[in-house]
Amino acid sequence: MALKCASVFTFIALWGFALSITRYSVPEEMEAGSFVANLAADLSLDIRSLEERNAKLDVVHSKNYLDINKDTGELIIREKIDRESICVTKTTSCFLKMDVILSNPVRIFNIELEIMDINDNAPVFRRKAMHLDVSEATPPGERFSLTNAVDADVGANSVKTYYLSESKYFSIDIQTGSDGSKYVDLVLNVNLDREEHAVHNLILTAVDGGVPPRSGTASIIINVLDINDNAPLFSQSVFAVNVSENSAVGSVVMTLNATDLDEGTNAQLMYSYTLYTSEKTQELFSLDPHSGEIKVKGVIDYEDSQNFEMYIQAQDRGTNPLSGHCKVMVFVTDLNDNYPEVTIKSLKRSLAEDVSVRTLIAVVSVSDRDSGENGEVKLTLDRQETLPFLLSKSSEGYYELLVSKPLDRELISKYDITLIVTDRGLPPLSENETITLEILDVNDNAPMFSQSFYTIHVVENNPPGALLTSLSALDPDLNENQYLVYFIMEKEIVNTSMSMLFSINPENGDLYALKTFDYEREREFLFHIEARDSGVPPLSSNVTVHIVIQDQNDNTPSIVSPWRVHGSVVEEVIPRSTEKGHLVAKVVAIDADSEQNARVTYQLLQISDSTLFSLDQYNGEIRTTRMFSHRDPRQQRLVVVAKDNGEPALSATVTIKISTVEHSMTFLETTELPLEYEVFTNLNLYLVIGLGAVSFLLLITILVIIVLKCQKPKPKAIKIPPANRNSMISQRSSTIADSTLISSDAYWYSLFLAETRKGKVVMRQPIIPKGAGYFVSSIPRSIGPSETTDSRASTLEFSK
């Protein structure tokens, strides 16, 4: 029993503590951290006790927007407060209820925070555009309800008033509801006229009472509905129009166009004759009821009646139709109904194109049966400015047709000359007569080629009789003046006539090759072809033809170094102690073709040991890639292929047998004549003196030949670029002399090769074909590792 009494006492004490309510008020939208009240002071609490007694804030039925600063005892804003989201219903007062709870002992303080409204919302119309249809017959004072604006704020911050944009036709009347809401009606002030103003665009503005005030707008679009209050109107009450007699049936006299300011069926018009229009007039003229078009329906005769009167009304299709009236006066104009005549008295049907100016073509007479101005006639040429003819009046009513400019059949071969005779009637009548004049051809045009210079490329080894091209000329003349004959203008090249090399079809200009051309012998030809017509006298023209022979890969590379008898094996001897990189041999091949077809590369086709030797694909040098070992055979066999860059590629091979010896010794070929020398012997001296003498005599001979050739005229020759080839000198001391063999006629018939070895000099002389002309230019160089060989460039020339 004592325990129950103690519990009741504790509850009564807590209830007494909670009965006290502390009220605060703050405006909405305050920033987080803003000060609300000094809670410790207002509740008479010690600041230290807030922490000790675990003070906390309990918000009733809402989000916790506040917090207690236990260090200062202040009540602060924890998060921005939006009054409109807390108090959804529009009420004047909006409270946020919460409890401050302390422990040890428990104590509860009731807090009410009033959220004061600020003007943070502008008035908004539920409809941004309001459409109204108002008849123009609506009387002034008529009212039209409009959609009101709403404002989420309350009190003075809610909608206070409305404003309407300036208008003399409309105003607004603001009404206040029982809840204080503002409503607005649109009031018509004066009568509307759709024809004056069909659409009215107004702006309705709602303004709240906040400071500063906020506003919202909506547009009001008023369409004025039409009534039939306008009668049709013609542009004038009386119309006058002229109509020629004999006007064709269906001809338009005029089109009436009445206007009605109304719209829809109130503006749709019907045209009709009134009772004042005579039946005869209605028989001669028709009136379209929809378009108002007046057309000729019968035959109008000036001698029968000179004018007509029409009374026409235009009526709309309104419920109570309205109409307008006009009068149309039709005046008939007398017609010039006799056509003038033109007669050809004398005529030439054809003329040569070389006739002189003022040559007579025809005599023409003109007449007209009408009188007065309707009988006065004038004769002209149609398109006079484009014709080389003119009319000359010879006497009254007679004209002569003459040539006024030089004629050219190639430009115009036939003329259709139209003579036009016209009277002076109103409207004027005219008649025409066409004369056809043919222009006869004379041989006044030389044949013309399409271009003055032809370059023709011919691949060598062409078959005899091959068609090279077709050279055609054009002659604008006719018949025999147009028939052309082609022939080659004679010209000799190196005692050879062009007609022996080429042939042309005299009828169509097809050019043929009569022989097979060899690029290595002939490079180009230059000659002329003439085209001549069959006129009297004949005319001709010529064209230059440049035949360019193109190279073909038709020559196989020829291996000139190392020299060997055809089909035999080349033998080379080197010591086994040879170092890495030693030059064993150099393969040199030449190709009689040119450019890419003459570019030679080298490859190893067969090799005994691929690790022992290497071949440079561009200069043909064979070098050791390592030193010989005791396991390596004493003899090595290499097969080198020399291949050109033509398409398809051609090639030649050489087999090189390499023998190794243990000590330095010299091997001689069977055809070599050894000359042992250890020091500079008398034989060497004799050889040097002999070579010098031969070189000197050769130089003198070349100079004499050059002087003799410069003194006499030479036929134009085609320059053939020299082809370079490398020759090889193989020696034990690695001294190599590069040689270049140049052939004047692109065929290689000879070979000059010198090889030197330590202790021996070997000279080989090739067989020189009779009549072959060539020279060898040799520029030696030293590529040995330890010694240099110097010599002069020498030239050996053979002539036919």
Side-chain angles (χ1 to χ4, degrees):
M1 186 68 181
L3 181 59
K4 181 180 286 188
C5 290
S7 300
V8 171
F9 175 78
T10 302
F11 174 78
I12 294 173
L14 292 174
W15 178 258
F17 293 153
L19 289 178
S20 177
I21 299 175
T22 304
R23 290 186 173 85
Y24 299 105
S25 62
V26 293
E28 63 176 327
E29 302 295 337
M30 289 183 66
E31 296 293 333
S34 299
F35 173 81
V36 176
N38 192 333
L39 194 61
D42 294 342
L43 299 180
S44 301
L45 297 173
D46 185 8
I47 295 175
R48 289 174 296 179
S49 65
L50 295 177
E51 182 70 31
E52 295 172 355
R53 300 178 65 182
N54 193 22
K56 64 179 182 178
L57 196 63
D58 185 18
V59 181
V60 180
H61 305 303
S62 180
K63 185 179 179 182
N64 190 2
Y65 291 95
L66 301 175
D67 202 356
I68 300 173
N69 189 337
K70 296 179 181 180
D71 295 330
T72 61
E74 294 176 348
L75 185 63
I76 60 175
I77 300 294
R78 181 179 182 182
E79 185 180 338
K80 272 188 179 183
I81 303 174
D82 184 7
R83 183 184 184 278
E84 286 74 31
S85 63
I86 295 175
C87 301
V88 180
T89 59
K90 292 190 65 174
T91 57
T92 306
S93 300
C94 181
F95 290 95
L96 190 62
K97 296 181 180 182
M98 63 197 76
D99 295 331
V100 178
I101 302 174
L102 299 177
S103 303
N104 301 321
V106 177
R107 191 172 180 183
I108 300 174
F109 298 92
N110 296 115
I111 304 295
E112 285 187 357
L113 181 64
E114 181 182 6
I115 310 303
M116 301 175 63
D117 184 43
I118 64 173
N119 192 23
D120 58 341
N121 292 282
V124 177
F125 286 91
R126 286 190 292 269
R127 293 168 58 191
K128 288 295 184 182
M130 292 173 276
H131 294 267
L132 297 176
D133 292 331
V134 182
S135 172
E136 62 178 329
T138 303
E142 188 74 20
R143 304 171 72 91
F144 305 93
S145 296
L146 301 177
T147 302
N148 65 309
V150 294
D151 194 324
D153 296 323
V154 297
N157 294 329
S158 63
V159 177
K160 182 179 180 181
T161 187
Y162 293 89
Y163 297 99
L164 184 67
S165 59
E166 184 178 354
S167 173
K168 71 175 182 178
Y169 295 96
F170 297 94
S171 62
I172 57 173
D173 183 21
I174 302 172
Q175 305 289 332
T176 303
S178 59
D179 58 352
S181 300
K182 302 292 183 180
Y183 301 94
V184 62
D185 288 339
L186 184 67
V187 181
L188 178 63
N189 295 332
V190 296
N191 287 320
L192 298 174
D193 189 351
R194 191 205 62 80
E195 289 72 34
E196 180 182 347
H197 208 158
V199 179
H200 297 266
N201 291 297
L202 305 177
I203 301 297
L204 181 62
T205 304
V207 182
D208 61 21
V211 178
R214 293 176 176 267
S215 62
T217 61
S219 60
I220 304 174
I221 302 171
I222 303 169
N223 295 313
V224 181
L225 304 179
D226 183 51
I227 63 172
N228 192 20
D229 57 346
N230 291 280
L233 291 175
F234 289 95
S235 58
Q236 56 193 71
S237 59
V238 178
F239 295 91
V241 63
N242 294 322
V243 177
S244 300
E245 66 172 328
N246 300 327
S247 293
V249 174
S251 300
V252 178
V253 177
M254 71 173 299
T255 300
L256 296 173
N257 186 19
T259 58
D260 194 317
L261 299 178
D262 295 323
E263 67 176 0
T265 57
N266 297 330
Q268 295 178 3
L269 304 180
M270 296 287 292
Y271 299 91
S272 61
Y273 290 117
T274 66
L275 297 176
Y276 299 105
T277 304
S278 65
E279 291 183 1
K280 181 180 180 180
T281 301
Q282 295 184 37
E283 290 175 357
L284 294 177
F285 300 95
S286 64
L287 174 63
D288 190 300
H290 301 289
S291 64
E293 190 176 60
I294 302 174
K295 293 182 179 180
V296 175
K297 189 167 67 171
V299 178
I300 302 174
D301 189 357
Y302 175 82
E303 288 70 29
D304 186 19
S305 180
Q306 289 78 39
N307 60 78
F308 300 91
E309 292 183 358
M310 303 177 192
Y311 296 91
I312 298 173
Q313 75 169 2
Q315 188 177 54
D316 62 30
R317 294 185 177 183
T319 305
N320 298 311
L322 302 177
S323 61
H325 300 80
C326 74
K327 178 181 178 181
V328 178
M329 298 292 297
V330 179
F331 297 96
V332 181
T333 304
D334 189 20
L335 186 65
N336 180 26
D337 53 357
N338 287 292
Y339 287 85
E341 296 178 355
V342 56
T343 305
I344 307 300
K345 297 296 185 181
S346 175
L347 175 63
K348 292 181 179 179
R349 296 289 182 181
S350 61
L351 285 177
E353 62 178 323
D354 60 347
V355 298
S356 60
V357 175
R358 305 291 298 182
T359 298
L360 178 65
I361 301 172
V363 177
V364 183
S365 66
V366 294
S367 61
D368 194 317
R369 291 182 298 165
D370 291 328
S371 59
E373 290 187 350
N374 294 334
E376 296 178 6
V377 295
K378 179 181 179 182
L379 183 64
T380 58
L381 289 176
D382 186 27
R383 296 180 291 111
Q384 169 75 63
E385 65 280 356
T386 63
L387 296 176
F389 310 109
L390 59 83
L391 287 170
S392 176
K393 191 172 183 179
S394 58
S395 60
E396 188 63 32
Y398 284 86
Y399 293 85
E400 291 180 345
L401 180 62
L402 307 174
V403 176
S404 63
K405 299 176 184 177
L407 303 177
D408 190 350
R409 189 210 62 80
E410 286 70 37
L411 293 179
I412 302 177
S413 61
K414 185 175 69 172
Y415 291 92
D416 290 326
I417 307 170
T418 301
L419 302 172
I420 301 176
V421 58
T422 307
D423 62 23
R424 298 183 62 186
L426 293 177
L429 297 179
S430 62
E431 189 61 80
N432 61 73
E433 182 73 21
T434 300
I435 298 173
T436 299
L437 179 64
E438 183 179 358
I439 307 302
L440 303 179
D441 183 52
V442 296
N443 191 25
D444 57 346
N445 291 279
M448 292 295 295
F449 288 92
S450 59
Q451 55 193 75
S452 61
F453 191 91
Y454 287 87
T455 299
I456 304 169
H457 296 274
V458 180
V459 180
E460 65 171 334
N461 301 320
N462 60 289
L467 176 64
L468 304 183
T469 188
S470 181
L471 305 173
S472 60
L474 296 177
D475 193 321
D477 292 325
L478 287 179
N479 301 327
E480 66 275 2
N481 298 330
Q482 186 186 38
Y483 298 146
L484 302 182
V485 177
Y486 301 90
F487 57 90
I488 299 175
M489 300 178 69
E490 284 300 331
K491 178 183 178 182
E492 289 190 357
I493 298 179
V494 194
N495 299 325
T496 302
S497 173
M498 282 295 103
S499 60
M500 301 294 293
L501 302 176
F502 303 97
S503 173
I504 191 168
N505 189 318
E507 295 182 358
N508 57 21
D510 287 347
L511 184 62
Y512 299 90
L514 297 181
K515 60 166 288 187
T516 300
F517 296 108
D518 188 351
Y519 176 82
E520 286 71 36
R521 289 182 177 274
E522 305 109 349
R523 296 293 176 88
E524 61 181 3
F525 300 94
L526 194 68
F527 55 92
H528 299 283
I529 290 178
E530 181 176 307
R532 180 182 300 167
D533 64 26
S534 303
V536 179
L539 300 177
S540 64
S541 63
N542 61 71
V543 66
T544 302
V545 178
H546 183 203
I547 304 293
V548 179
I549 308 301
Q550 293 182 328
D551 185 38
Q552 196 176 47
N553 192 25
D554 57 345
N555 290 282
T556 303
S558 176
I559 297 176
V560 299
S561 178
W563 184 89
R564 89 280 189 205
V565 179
H566 181 71
S568 63
V569 176
V570 177
E571 294 188 0
E572 297 287 344
V573 179
I574 60 174
R576 291 186 69 83
S577 59
T578 299
E579 298 290 333
K580 175 184 177 181
H582 176 74
L583 179 62
V584 178
K586 181 174 182 179
V587 180
V588 178
I590 58 177
D591 194 313
D593 294 320
S594 64
E595 298 180 354
Q596 293 296 323
N597 296 331
R599 197 180 69 165
V600 179
T601 57
Y602 304 91
Q603 296 177 0
L604 283 171
L605 191 61
Q606 295 180 12
I607 184 171
S608 302
D609 189 346
S610 60
T611 65
L612 192 56
F613 301 100
S614 66
L615 172 66
D616 191 303
Q617 64 172 338
Y618 298 110
N619 59 23
E621 292 181 351
I622 302 174
R623 293 182 181 270
T624 58
T625 58
R626 61 177 176 83
M627 294 186 65
F628 287 92
S629 66
H630 65 279
R631 295 188 182 89
D632 294 325
R634 292 185 178 275
Q635 292 185 347
Q636 301 285 336
R637 184 174 179 273
L638 284 73
V639 178
V640 179
V641 60
K643 183 186 299 182
D644 61 25
N645 202 36
E647 185 63 35
L650 302 178
S651 62
T653 61
V654 61
T655 302
I656 301 174
K657 180 180 180 182
I658 300 174
S659 301
T660 60
V661 295
E662 295 297 338
H663 53 82
S664 177
M665 58 184 299
T666 306
F667 292 86
L668 299 178
E669 299 179 9
T670 58
T671 60
E672 298 171 352
L673 299 176
L675 295 175
E676 298 290 342
Y677 66 96
E678 296 295 331
V679 294
F680 191 74
T681 64
N682 291 335
L683 179 58
N684 291 348
L685 178 61
Y686 296 152
L687 289 175
V688 171
I689 293 173
L691 288 175
V694 172
S695 300
F696 178 78
L697 291 176
L698 182 60
L699 180 62
I700 295 299
T701 303
I702 291 174
L703 292 176
V704 171
I705 293 174
I706 292 174
V707 171
L708 292 177
K709 286 186 176 293
C710 291
Q711 289 179 350
K712 62 180 180 179
K714 299 184 294 180
K716 183 177 179 181
I718 301 172
K719 296 181 180 181
I720 302 177
N724 296 330
R725 297 292 183 269
N726 294 328
S727 63
M728 187 190 90
I729 300 174
S730 174
Q731 61 178 12
R732 185 176 175 185
S733 60
S734 302
T735 302
I736 305 299
D738 289 346
S739 299
T740 302
L741 184 62
I742 304 175
S743 174
S744 61
D745 58 0
Y747 286 94
W748 305 86
Y749 300 107
S750 61
L751 176 64
F752 176 78
L753 181 63
E755 296 185 1
T756 60
R757 294 183 180 143
K758 187 175 180 180
K760 296 187 177 76
V761 175
V762 180
M763 297 295 295
R764 295 192 181 105
Q765 175 62 47
I767 298 175
I768 304 173
K770 292 183 180 181
Y774 70 95
F775 64 90
V776 176
S777 175
S778 178
I779 304 176
R781 63 177 181 175
S782 173
I783 59 172
S786 61
E787 61 183 67
T788 303
T789 301
D790 295 331
S791 64
R792 296 178 301 169
S794 63
T795 303
L796 176 62
E797 175 173 329
F798 296 86
S799 59
K800 295 180 181 180

